[in-house]
Amino acid sequence: EGEYLEITEINRQQAGEYECITANGVLASDSKRVLITVNYPPIITEPKDLRTPIGKTALLRCEAMAVPPAEFQWFKDDKHRLLGGLDGLQIQNERTRSMLLFTNVTARHYGNYTCLASNNLGSCNVTLRLIRPGSLENTATASMESPLFLGLLSSTFVTLLFKI
């Protein structure tokens, strides 16, 4: 009598269905199922930059785990809030992700895009880049683990010469 299950410091991995079974040896056993929902703020998973040439279709994805589900907003260069249907952009929202679709990439589309995922418990954001293939930014990003990059981290004075 009076037995109970106490889950302290519950986390989202402990959400799910729990079953309580009672048996006293006299009457038939009884059981009751309880669904435990753990609310938590958005966590954005696996953001990826995208390299797409002019004239092609591009899709930036923002996936967020959250309970209750996150609401999404997109920003260009951290200042201009994007609305779907303008400037060749479409925003497609689903339960756990938002996608920014460029139907025909132009030069003005290249840049930084911030995805903001929020619910009543908090928010999370990530910046994704739409990069022109072959751009200097593309080259620098692709070679972040090269000896040149490591040398830049450990040196106080660097001269770079570019052959054009």
Side-chain angles (χ1 to χ4, degrees):
E1 181 179 1
E3 290 188 33
Y4 60 93
L5 172 65
E6 180 178 350
I7 304 173
T8 59
E9 299 182 31
I10 194 165
N11 61 52
R12 64 188 176 113
Q13 286 78 20
Q14 293 169 303
E17 190 173 81
Y18 289 77
E19 183 177 21
C20 176
I21 301 172
T22 61
N24 64 8
V26 178
L27 298 173
S29 62
D30 192 18
S31 68
K32 195 70 131 175
R33 293 180 185 269
V34 178
L35 180 64
I36 303 293
T37 301
V38 179
N39 294 339
Y40 57 95
I43 301 165
I44 295 177
T45 58
E46 300 182 33
K48 293 183 180 150
D49 294 340
L50 195 58
R51 292 163 182 82
T52 304
I54 289 177
K56 298 294 183 180
T57 299
L59 185 69
L60 289 175
R61 286 189 179 97
C62 179
E63 300 206 28
M65 302 295 294
V67 176
E71 294 181 10
F72 296 93
Q73 294 179 15
W74 286 92
F75 298 86
K76 170 90 160 71
D77 297 325
D78 293 329
K79 47 189 163 191
H80 304 299
R81 183 170 178 214
L82 300 176
L83 302 172
L86 298 176
D87 199 29
L89 301 175
Q90 292 178 5
I91 298 173
Q92 300 172 352
N93 291 323
E94 296 177 359
R95 183 170 170 81
T96 61
R97 69 180 170 191
S98 181
M99 295 167 286
L100 188 57
L101 175 65
F102 303 83
T103 53
N104 182 15
V105 172
T106 66
R108 70 177 178 271
H109 288 137
Y110 294 117
N112 297 323
Y113 291 86
T114 300
C115 172
L116 174 66
S118 58
N119 66 12
N120 62 340
L121 296 172
S123 63
C124 184
N125 67 68
V126 67
T127 298
L128 305 162
R129 296 178 304 158
L130 182 61
I131 304 167
R132 179 191 309 246
S135 69
L136 182 59
E137 181 177 12
N138 182 24
T139 304
T141 302
S143 62
M144 284 179 56
E145 295 180 17
S146 71
L148 171 63
F149 183 77
L150 296 175
L152 290 173
L153 290 177
S154 63
S155 177
T156 56
F157 179 78
V158 175
T159 302
L160 295 176
L161 299 174
F162 293 96
K163 184 177 181 182
I164 297 176

